[in-house]
Amino acid sequence: MSDIDPRDYSASPFHNGEQLAQARLGVRDIEDWARQVIRDYLPEQHRNFHTALPFLVVAARDEQDRPWVTLLEGPDGFITAPDNKTLSIDGLPTRGDALHGAILPGSDVGILGIELATRRRNRVNGRAAEVTSAGFDFCVDQSFGNCPQYIRERKWHRLDNFVPGQSIRGQRLTNEQKQWVSSADTFFIASGYRGEGESPTYGMDASHRGGDRGFVQVLDDGRLRFPDYAGNNHFNTIGNILLDPKAGFLFVDFTSGSFLQLTGRASIDWDSEELSRFPGARRLLTLEIDEIVETRSAVSLRWSSDAGSVRSLRLVEKTPESADVTSFIFEARDGGILTGFEPGQHLPIELEIPGINEPVSRTYSLSNGPDQYRYRISVKRERKGIASQFLHDHLEIGAIINSRRPSGDFVMTCNKCPLVLVSAGVGVTPMMSILHAVAKERSDCPVWFVHGARDGEHHPLAEEVRDLASTRSVFTVHVAYSQPAPGDRIGTDYDSHGRIDGALLARLINNVDAHYFICGPVKFMGELQTDLESRGVSPEHIHTESFGPAG
């Protein structure tokens, strides 16, 4: 494609298919960000995460080069991380599984670690090294985190007296299998690409897809179709399919531990009239099925929907914060105490929007302090945002919505360290929560709050920040306006003209021991992280949270 950025991609974390998808959708600026967050090793947080899981989602190819995806389970400790480049997994696909016998030394393997109860997930791609009769060592090529969007919360337990079931194969979906697929709210997808030569961008990828029940359509006994929504703009699955259309799907019956594994060829519908039938979808993917493997009671794990985590909230305040950001404050509908949260976490909500059959799920950062027995979200209106426009235009005081437990990893890991909060635009929202917390609890450690906005009209929560900063002598606030309006006063409304960059941070903060929290567009975060690391700030001291126009 002629509109691909002509930069040198020799060190890109994306292969050509992923770059093509990004260029088509105008998000090639993800490159700068991804160079920082896609690593060739497992950060300590990811090592701890993966080794605590009861199962892994694993993608690989069979002897016919067809992608499949499965779950590997084991007792506590069945996954270990002897170093930051290796996972040792005490488990292999069992007899009857589509990938039984497929993991061999040198095999491409994609792994998704996902914790359904907390909606956390991390992906890691690489190859199998040593393989024994009991398990295998996995060598890391790429490791990166994923956002919690569209993950359904589920708690798990393990059967004490587990007896694995039988597997059957076929080429066409039975009526029972059609019903299984049509009622699913979650599935996993395997895709991959290996070009000529060697590159860490090549290999297999295991990914999660979620939506409302029925979001996967059964077109006939040999074809499925599902809408693909806004994500992290990496386009790993889409990029793989552009270059190699073979793909595998896994549907899990969470109540029985049964698997429905499919493999076939995928195609992408970018802009047909059919797309308009799926509000919020960015494209449609269709799988032409080649083979099916159904295994009853495939694993000893069982999952249940965490109905207790759903909480009805009542909107009690609605406050415009800027030209395009409004805050919404919720209390418990029943007047009870809400689940607490860590400053920086986000709130999953569900909205009943007229004209849409199923609740619309979104995740917004909490922008209030964690001790106020209230939830506040500050939402930017997105031009094509179904949820944000509904919130701004139609949700009024007294309205009831449903929420899940607050969650997320963008939280303080050091309570006694110098702290730098850096944001742009609506990226200020999690910073507000952190600022409220440190204003209440911290005493002598310095805190810098650095925010970038277009102008005063597009500067949300400005007065609140100044009020909080005035309570503590150790707080320093710096605001940069990229396009100040004639009425904006330097020294009062803002402190510098321009955008936040590494040079500005270097002038303001001379402390490599500080922990930096950065939230904003991906290019903004990528450039800042590169600069901070070049100045000697440890990657472990740099914490990032992106936002996007999911709406």
Side-chain angles (χ1 to χ4, degrees):
M1 295 177 64
S2 60
D3 55 347
I4 290 182
D5 190 328
R7 291 176 297 179
D8 176 17
Y9 295 122
S10 59
S12 174
F14 302 115
H15 61 62
N16 190 52
E18 293 159 334
Q19 294 175 26
L20 285 169
Q22 293 160 5
R24 179 182 184 120
L25 297 165
V27 293
R28 278 296 294 141
D29 60 358
I30 190 72
E31 177 87 18
D32 296 329
W33 161 245
R35 289 175 190 269
Q36 306 304 318
V37 300
I38 299 179
R39 304 175 175 93
D40 62 356
Y41 65 93
L42 289 166
E44 182 177 2
Q45 186 181 52
H46 289 199
R47 293 172 70 185
N48 293 338
F49 174 75
H50 286 294
T51 56
L53 292 172
F55 72 93
L56 292 173
V57 182
V58 174
R61 296 180 186 270
D62 65 11
E63 61 183 6
Q64 300 177 54
D65 198 42
R66 300 180 302 181
W68 298 89
V69 60
T70 191
L71 301 189
L72 295 184
E73 67 163 339
D76 291 348
F78 89 105
I79 308 163
T80 58
D83 55 61
N84 67 4
K85 293 281 291 184
T86 308
L87 289 176
S88 291
I89 301 166
D90 189 13
L92 287 166
T94 56
R95 187 173 300 278
D97 190 286
L99 287 174
H100 176 64
I103 297 179
L104 304 170
S107 295
D108 288 328
V109 177
I111 291 177
L112 171 67
I114 186 167
E115 194 173 62
L116 296 174
T118 62
R119 304 172 71 242
R120 295 173 61 198
R121 59 178 169 178
N122 289 305
R123 281 152 75 170
V124 56
N125 303 334
R127 297 193 195 188
E130 181 180 1
V131 181
T132 69
S133 60
F136 68 102
D137 286 341
F138 171 84
C139 293
V140 176
D141 282 336
Q142 290 188 330
S143 171
F144 52 99
N146 272 176
C147 71
Q149 198 78 286
Y150 310 117
I151 300 177
R152 296 285 179 171
E153 294 178 26
R154 288 182 164 91
K155 290 182 177 179
W156 65 271
H157 67 279
R158 201 185 304 274
L159 296 183
D160 294 330
N161 301 309
F162 168 65
V163 178
Q166 298 295 311
S167 298
I168 58 172
R169 290 181 177 252
Q171 282 74 45
R172 292 290 180 266
L173 293 166
T174 65
N175 288 335
E176 183 180 5
Q177 290 168 345
K178 290 179 184 178
Q179 179 60 35
W180 185 344
V181 171
S182 297
S183 62
D185 59 28
T186 298
F187 74 94
F188 303 99
I189 184 168
S191 63
Y193 169 71
R194 178 157 291 280
E196 296 181 0
E198 292 295 326
S199 169
T201 68
Y202 296 160
M204 292 299 296
D205 181 81
S207 185
H208 161 278
R209 289 294 188 274
D212 300 318
R213 289 192 181 277
F215 82 108
V216 183
Q217 292 184 315
V218 178
L219 301 179
D220 53 45
D221 60 6
R223 293 184 303 151
L224 310 180
R225 182 172 67 188
F226 71 95
D228 196 42
Y229 297 98
N232 59 12
N233 290 338
H234 288 193
F235 293 110
N236 306 113
T237 299
I238 298 296
N240 287 336
I241 290 172
L242 283 175
L243 301 182
D244 182 349
K246 294 189 290 293
F249 287 17
L250 169 66
F251 293 88
V252 179
D253 183 333
F254 292 103
T255 60
S256 69
S258 301
F259 291 175
L260 184 64
Q261 296 170 288
L262 315 173
T263 194
R265 299 177 70 84
S267 58
I268 305 169
D269 177 352
W270 296 96
D271 51 16
S272 77
E273 291 184 1
E274 282 292 301
L275 190 58
S276 63
R277 296 177 51 201
F278 300 86
R282 304 303 172 91
R283 62 214 131 252
L284 301 176
L285 274 73
T286 300
L287 182 73
E288 302 272 354
I289 300 170
D290 289 335
E291 189 165 8
I292 301 164
V293 178
E294 179 184 338
T295 305
R296 289 292 174 179
S297 191
V299 290
S300 65
L301 297 173
R302 301 292 184 268
W303 294 263
S304 60
S305 295
D306 189 4
S309 73
V310 176
R311 192 69 180 269
S312 291
L313 306 177
R314 185 186 305 277
L315 180 64
V316 296
E317 293 182 28
K318 181 178 180 180
T319 306
E321 304 287 4
S322 68
D324 53 3
V325 174
T326 294
S327 285
F328 302 84
I329 295 180
F330 299 95
E331 294 180 351
R333 180 180 187 175
D334 58 9
I337 295 175
L338 293 172
T339 302
F341 61 92
E342 293 291 325
Q345 289 190 309
H346 43 246
L347 180 71
I349 65 172
E350 296 178 350
L351 301 172
E352 301 283 349
I353 298 179
I356 299 178
N357 293 332
E358 298 289 340
V360 173
S361 300
R362 291 293 185 267
T363 301
Y364 295 109
S365 294
L366 287 153
S367 60
N368 63 307
D371 60 337
Q372 298 174 12
Y373 302 98
R374 289 174 146 196
Y375 293 153
R376 182 179 72 174
I377 57 175
S378 301
V379 179
K380 180 182 178 183
R381 177 197 290 275
E382 299 291 348
R383 186 170 60 88
K384 294 184 178 180
I386 296 170
S388 66
Q389 290 196 25
F390 176 77
L391 287 167
H392 277 248
D393 298 339
H394 302 290
L395 201 73
E396 299 300 338
I397 303 299
I400 303 297
I401 69 167
N402 287 330
S403 77
R404 301 274 175 172
R405 286 192 302 261
S407 59
D409 297 326
F410 189 65
V411 297
M412 289 184 294
T413 56
C414 179
N415 291 324
K416 296 182 179 180
C417 301
L419 186 64
V420 184
L421 308 177
V422 188
S423 57
V426 77
V428 72
T429 53
M431 305 307 184
M432 292 304 305
S433 183
I434 296 173
L435 191 64
H436 274 281
V438 296
K440 180 178 177 62
E441 299 176 4
R442 293 165 63 103
S443 57
D444 55 354
C445 283
V447 176
W448 291 267
F449 189 98
V450 186
H451 179 67
R454 184 193 312 172
D455 54 31
E457 188 179 4
H458 295 86
H459 182 183
L461 302 160
E463 184 176 352
E464 186 172 324
V465 170
R466 298 288 185 185
D467 288 345
L468 285 169
S470 69
T471 66
R472 304 294 300 281
S473 61
V474 293
F475 282 7
T476 300
V477 173
H478 187 96
V479 174
Y481 283 178
S482 60
Q483 302 174 41
D488 294 331
R489 300 162 296 170
I490 192 163
T492 301
D493 301 311
Y494 67 105
D495 303 293
S496 65
H497 180 187
R499 299 181 185 277
I500 297 172
D501 56 18
L504 175 62
L505 294 184
R507 290 198 302 271
L508 295 173
I509 304 119
N510 184 22
N511 192 323
V512 296
D513 295 323
H515 278 245
Y516 288 75
F517 285 74
I518 309 172
C519 185
V522 291
K523 184 178 181 180
F524 165 80
M525 293 190 297
E527 291 174 349
L528 287 183
Q529 181 156 356
T530 298
D531 183 85
L532 290 171
E533 291 185 11
S534 72
R535 292 197 286 114
V537 179
S538 167
E540 300 295 333
H541 286 193
I542 303 172
H543 315 270
T544 56
E545 180 88 326
S546 63
F547 62 83

